[in-house]
Amino acid sequence: MFKAVLIEKDEAGYRAGVTEVDEAALPEGDVTVRVDYSTLNYKDGLAITGKGPVVRKFPMVPGIDLAGTVEASSHADIAVGDAVVLNGWGVGEGHWGGLAQRARLKGDWLVPLPAAFTPRQAMAIGTAGYTAMLCVMALERHGVTPASGEVLVTGANGGVGSVAVALLAKLGYTVVASTGRPQEAGYLKALGAAEIIDRALLSAPGKPLAKERWAGAVDTVGSHTLANVCASMKYRGAVAACGLAQGMDFPSSVAPFILRGVTLAGVDSVMAPRGERLEAWRRLAQDLDVAKLELMTQEIGLGEVVATAAALLEGKVRGRVVVDVKR
């Protein structure tokens, strides 16, 4: 038996809570992992509260991330005792996930835990930090350099935003952080932001084109915010879009793309190929300041997950949430 957060949906309604689960109930997979740490991401919050159609079958153990040690394996490239990390692949949506003390998974979904990180640090990074790194890599691929000009990060107090600010700042970019929580300006400047702007400047309906300002942007928000970011990009600027905190819609026009040559690069972390995952984790080990990682991280136990998920969706959680599944 092991402890897990379990989401159930039946005639009694939609509910989530910590319960004891028999290991025999674990789904099929060629690797069994003793989970050391997991995380709480925006998608996990949607799944646990039922406020988004994330979970595809019930019952479901949520948790799109985990770090742990292999206890059993029939996968040719994974041995018992290996330290591994999982991000995405539909885990916590259609396959039991990481908010549990055990997980059974497909070995092809796993990557080695980088030597630079402990399991806790890897989960302080989690899908949010790995996604932020993919966004930075996308900007680099499209020619955005520190010399290009200011780079905007929207939703900067969230998990992806916080890591993106820290990464870009360490790489030498001038980072402007957009947030709805101006009281967190000190936190964002400690991560490396040069300037803080109010998200209200970007969140209302805007014009097809605005004054050119941003050389690059990491957008975690979507909707009018993303439209306004695109409208205010510099000539040949690039936006890495990875989130929908404001909404899934994109009320924009083609003007930024055909008049300024702006690139809108979609960043998907869930199904990203293994090579990109390995490179993202290599870059995180190289380019992320671990001291700043600790600054943006809070730790909870399994029993606190449900309440914290609700607070996360209400915008009351700063940075990253690590879950110690052993408590």
Side-chain angles (χ1 to χ4, degrees), residues 4 21 34-35 45 85 91 115 117 121 158 196 199 210 212 220 236 250 277 281 306 322:
V21 178
R34 184 190 74 242
V35 181
V85 174
V91 170
F117 301 125
Q121 288 171 332
I196 316 299
R199 70 181 179 196
E212 294 183 42
T220 71
R236 294 244 168 163
F250 181 47
R277 291 168 182 268
W281 278 101
V306 174
V322 170

Side-chain angles (χ1 to χ4, degrees), residues 172-197:
Y173 291 87
T174 301
V175 185
V176 178
S178 168
T179 180
R181 289 178 268 174
Q183 69 274 19
E184 299 284 12
Y187 161 73
L188 291 168
K189 288 192 173 181
L191 293 181
E195 183 183 344
I196 316 299
I197 63 172

